[in-house]
Amino acid sequence: MNLNGIETAGCRITGNEAGRRERNTPGGDFAKQAAQAAQAAGRADAVLHGADEDTGDTRIFSGAELVSGSSISVYKTRDFDPADPVYKVKIWDRSGNVTETMVDVSKVDTRNCDTAEMYAYTAHLKESGKGNFEDTVLKAVAAKSVKNAESRSGSWSHSEKMDWVKTVRDIMQSVYQYGDLKGYMEWKKFLGFLEK
């Protein structure tokens, strides 16, 4: 899947990752069509906020959405305790207005949580060594992208709660129907993280 503007601790994925392209219409390039849709909506750029902050917190995930113009970052605070993992999540809207929340991952209900909670939860999975970036955070980003595509506005709110387990099961069903058994098993692994 081609996802633009994903960054995690110094690793940035942009454009046509490793030459792979996803098509959402016959003969169309997904990234180009997303950029055109954003430009038509008057938002051709997304700013990745939080990369240059000097708060003493450690940024472990950042991502930007081209269509909505928003960005989100997950941080380990200076007083982070692995035995009681609480992460700071900051969300910027396209105007640069920021919302900050603290997420206790032990209290995240993957069947009813918002994007900030899910990104903190999956970043914690990655940070604790339970899965790598692709198995955790990137899968959550892809699941949110599916919800974005389903919404009429093209961008689903970061604060809207959803059943991530159901969304992942729906994705798994689609992947299975297309005969991608490897992809199906990758999503099944992610589902295992969510059905704790």
Side-chain angles (χ1 to χ4, degrees):
M1 178 165 282
N2 184 357
L3 299 170
N4 290 313
I6 299 171
E7 181 172 313
T8 179
C11 176
R12 182 165 171 80
I13 301 170
T14 59
N16 185 15
E17 179 195 38
R20 293 181 289 171
R21 291 180 182 241
E22 280 289 319
R23 300 179 190 280
N24 62 344
T25 60
D29 176 23
F30 176 76
K32 181 179 176 183
Q33 290 174 14
Q36 288 171 342
Q39 192 169 29
R43 300 179 302 262
D45 296 316
V47 176
L48 185 61
H49 294 278
D52 57 355
E53 289 186 328
D54 188 20
T55 62
D57 298 331
T58 304
R59 183 173 44 97
I60 58 172
F61 168 74
S62 287
E65 290 186 358
L66 184 61
V67 174
S68 71
S70 64
S71 73
I72 187 168
S73 292
V74 178
Y75 301 87
K76 279 185 181 178
T77 59
R78 284 180 276 176
D79 59 349
F80 180 81
D81 179 4
D84 185 25
V86 177
Y87 294 86
K88 178 168 64 175
V89 181
K90 293 174 83 172
I91 300 171
W92 291 263
D93 65 17
R94 72 173 185 229
S95 300
N97 301 313
V98 66
T99 304
E100 183 177 310
T101 186
M102 300 302 287
V103 177
D104 180 344
V105 296
S106 69
K107 296 179 181 173
V108 172
D109 176 3
T110 58
R111 295 179 196 286
N112 184 34
C113 68
D114 63 23
T115 304
E117 293 167 320
M118 179 52 65
Y119 285 5
Y121 179 80
T122 56
H124 175 70
L125 290 170
K126 176 186 72 76
E127 288 295 303
S128 63
K130 293 180 181 164
N132 63 30
F133 176 75
E134 291 79 14
D135 291 340
T136 58
V137 178
L138 192 57
K139 286 285 192 277
V141 170
K144 182 169 186 314
S145 296
V146 167
K147 291 304 285 186
N148 284 351
E150 290 175 353
S151 83
R152 292 181 184 212
S153 67
S155 181
W156 172 69
S157 168
H158 286 294
S159 62
E160 185 177 336
K161 294 195 181 254
M162 72 176 243
D163 183 344
W164 292 79
V165 171
K166 180 185 180 319
T167 299
V168 169
R169 284 187 177 150
D170 291 347
I171 292 169
M172 288 173 61
Q173 183 62 36
S174 294
V175 169
Y176 183 80
Q177 286 177 334
Y178 286 107
D180 181 2
L181 297 181
K182 181 179 182 285
Y184 176 85
M185 294 307 292
E186 290 169 358
W187 280 101
K188 185 174 182 178
K189 180 178 182 180
F190 183 61
L191 181 65
F193 290 136
L194 302 184
E195 293 182 323
K196 49 184 171 137

